[in-house]
Amino acid sequence: MAASGVPIQPRDQLGRYMLPQAPEDAGYYVYGNVGGVPGTGHLAQYAHPNMLSVIFWVEREWQAIDDRKFGIGNISVANGLKYDHHTHMKGIEMDIRPVRKDKMVGHAARCSYMDTAVYDREATIKLVRLFLQHPMVRLIYFNDEKVQQATGGRVKYWPDHNDHLHIEIWERP
Ligand SMILES: [Zn+2]
């Protein structure tokens, strides 16, 4: 902690910053890991400053309409290195979880759009609309057709995107 009480965020050599690890009053929580190793999620949460702006804007708007936290997983590892994605190397791509009906958070709060008992489609649509309102958001992959239809075709199918939404921003806004 700095003297001011403001934590210093780790920064990599490319100018990406580690996402603040979900302070208590944040509208999001963090999950994920690197290479399946528990407790390493933060190592894959280096974000471009523009991505941080998007996250902070959406979390404020989200907190105004909902008291659940949304889950943020992999963004990028430090210094643009490749890990278990072909993408996610520039800090401009991020995976988030669909919204659950309950308030569960943490690594075990995984949820697919087919888990009808826990998946909250209406809330997920609201969250997606917030992201799409931001001018820096370029595309979203998520396989729930109802979400795709409700958002004017800006959310698209991509293999393996049943339990998370891939959100990508423009590299140069
Ligand atoms: Zn992704």
Side-chain angles (χ1 to χ4, degrees), residues 74-75 85 87-88 93-96 141 161 164-167:
N74 288 341
I75 305 174
H85 295 267
T87 55
H88 287 264
E93 293 146 295
M94 164 176 76
D95 293 337
I96 69 166
Y141 294 131
H161 285 70
H164 67 279
L165 297 87
H166 172 100
I167 296 174

Side-chain angles (χ1 to χ4, degrees), residues 45 48 51 147:
Q45 293 199 315
H48 189 285
M51 180 59 96
V147 173

Side-chain angles (χ1 to χ4, degrees), residues 3-173:
S4 63
V6 177
I8 294 175
Q9 288 308 119
R11 177 188 187 277
D12 76 5
Q13 293 168 5
L14 301 178
R16 273 48 166 171
Y17 291 87
M18 187 186 286
L19 178 69
Q21 295 297 294
E24 237 170 63
D25 58 351
Y28 64 88
Y29 70 92
V30 294
Y31 72 92
N33 58 58
V34 178
V37 180
T40 57
H42 60 289
L43 297 177
Q45 293 199 315
Y46 281 86
H48 189 285
N50 290 343
M51 180 59 96
L52 290 178
S53 294
V54 170
I55 293 169
F56 297 152
W57 182 80
V58 168
E59 69 145 340
R60 294 287 156 81
E61 297 294 317
W62 177 248
Q63 283 180 300
I65 59 171
D66 203 293
D67 62 356
R68 285 167 289 185
K69 294 173 187 280
F70 62 93
I72 299 180
N74 288 341
I75 305 174
S76 292
V77 296
N79 302 321
L81 299 175
K82 189 175 180 314
Y83 57 123
D84 51 357
H85 295 267
H86 295 293
T87 55
H88 287 264
M89 289 164 65
K90 294 179 174 177
I92 60 171
E93 293 146 295
M94 164 176 76
D95 293 337
I96 69 166
R97 280 179 168 153
V99 183
R100 294 173 60 99
K101 289 173 180 165
D102 56 30
K103 291 191 173 181
M104 190 173 174
V105 298
H107 197 73
R110 180 187 166 275
C111 168
S112 157
Y113 80 88
M114 289 177 280
D115 299 332
T116 51
V118 291
Y119 171 55
D120 188 335
R121 173 173 291 131
E122 293 313 310
T124 300
I125 288 171
K126 284 182 190 169
L127 181 59
V128 168
R129 283 186 174 145
L130 287 182
F131 275 101
L132 290 175
Q133 270 182 46
H134 199 290
M136 278 193 284
V137 171
R138 187 169 86 87
L139 63 82
I140 298 179
Y141 294 131
F142 184 51
N143 294 348
D144 183 349
E145 279 183 24
K146 300 245 168 60
V147 173
Q148 295 168 10
Q149 289 158 7
T151 51
R154 291 189 64 197
V155 176
K156 302 200 184 323
Y157 173 89
W158 198 256
D160 302 322
H161 285 70
N162 293 351
D163 66 356
H164 67 279
L165 297 87
H166 172 100
I167 296 174
E168 194 169 326
I169 63 168
W170 293 101
E171 187 160 10
R172 292 175 205 282

